[in-house]
Amino acid sequence: MSEKEKAVFRIIIDAPLDDVWRELTKTNVVLPFFFGSVLDTKGLIPGNRICMRTSDRKYTGVVGEVLEYDPPHRFSHTFRFTQLDDAPCRVTYDLRAVDGGTEFTLTASDIPSGSKSAKYMEQGGEFIVKTLKAIVERKHLPFKSRMVLLMCALSKPFTPRRALSDKWPL
């Protein structure tokens, strides 16, 4: 049996819990903090599938299934990169009201140790929490986030065919 990794990213967002929750759980719109993906689903209900798709819906980068949905405190789902053969992991978003706003915690668990998924999750977690904070607090993206999103857009023509959305239906 392979070992599993866990990564935790936490940040305080200067905004009410409900504002952070609303931004985090938007569907069918581009979400810059999810690398410009659209969270596509038939509903954030445990058991339903989710897909993180490009803004034009041509490619699907991530697939999963909703595990928990407890507004406005917890949202959890499985997570698998469509371009990799790694086993799925679990991603959990926890929100808690604190002095000064909302504590947002992203926990990625059951990540196959030493996998490309582990590497991508470690890099992506920090981007997600910092970009979500910027969007909720300031309603705009920091320069670094804009550059990452530009690189994502420029790399789209090189996306493997296995990520075509017709291969990943809801």
Side-chain angles (χ1 to χ4, degrees), residues 4-115:
K4 304 289 182 170
E5 293 184 26
K6 180 178 182 178
V8 178
F9 306 90
R10 185 172 289 119
I11 201 162
I12 303 297
I13 300 174
D14 185 13
L17 188 138
D18 287 333
D19 291 357
V20 178
W21 180 261
R22 188 171 30 261
E23 191 66 37
L24 176 67
T25 58
K26 285 181 179 177
T27 60
N28 300 311
V29 297
V30 174
L31 301 171
F33 53 89
F34 285 144
F35 297 89
S37 294
V38 174
L39 176 57
D40 198 7
T41 182
K42 291 183 179 176
L44 294 174
I45 300 165
N48 277 5
R49 290 181 49 84
I50 62 167
C51 295
M52 300 281 190
R53 302 192 195 273
T54 55
S55 59
D56 63 5
R57 306 293 209 289
K58 184 173 180 178
Y59 296 102
T60 298
V62 171
V63 293
E65 179 181 306
V66 177
L67 300 172
E68 296 177 71
Y69 189 73
D70 181 21
H73 300 285
R74 176 175 269 207
F75 172 34
S76 181
H77 58 85
T78 60
F79 184 102
R80 180 177 173 276
F81 290 105
T82 60
Q83 298 179 40
L84 303 178
D85 292 324
D86 296 340
C89 61
R90 178 183 182 121
V91 174
T92 303
Y93 311 96
D94 287 304
L95 284 75
R96 183 172 68 94
V98 295
D99 286 342
T102 300
E103 180 183 78
F104 172 64
T105 304
L106 184 161
T107 304
S109 54
D110 298 325
I111 309 166
S113 184
S115 66

Side-chain angles (χ1 to χ4, degrees), residues 149-158:
L149 293 172
L150 175 62
M151 293 306 294
C152 289
L154 292 174
S155 67
K156 193 177 353 177
F158 305 103

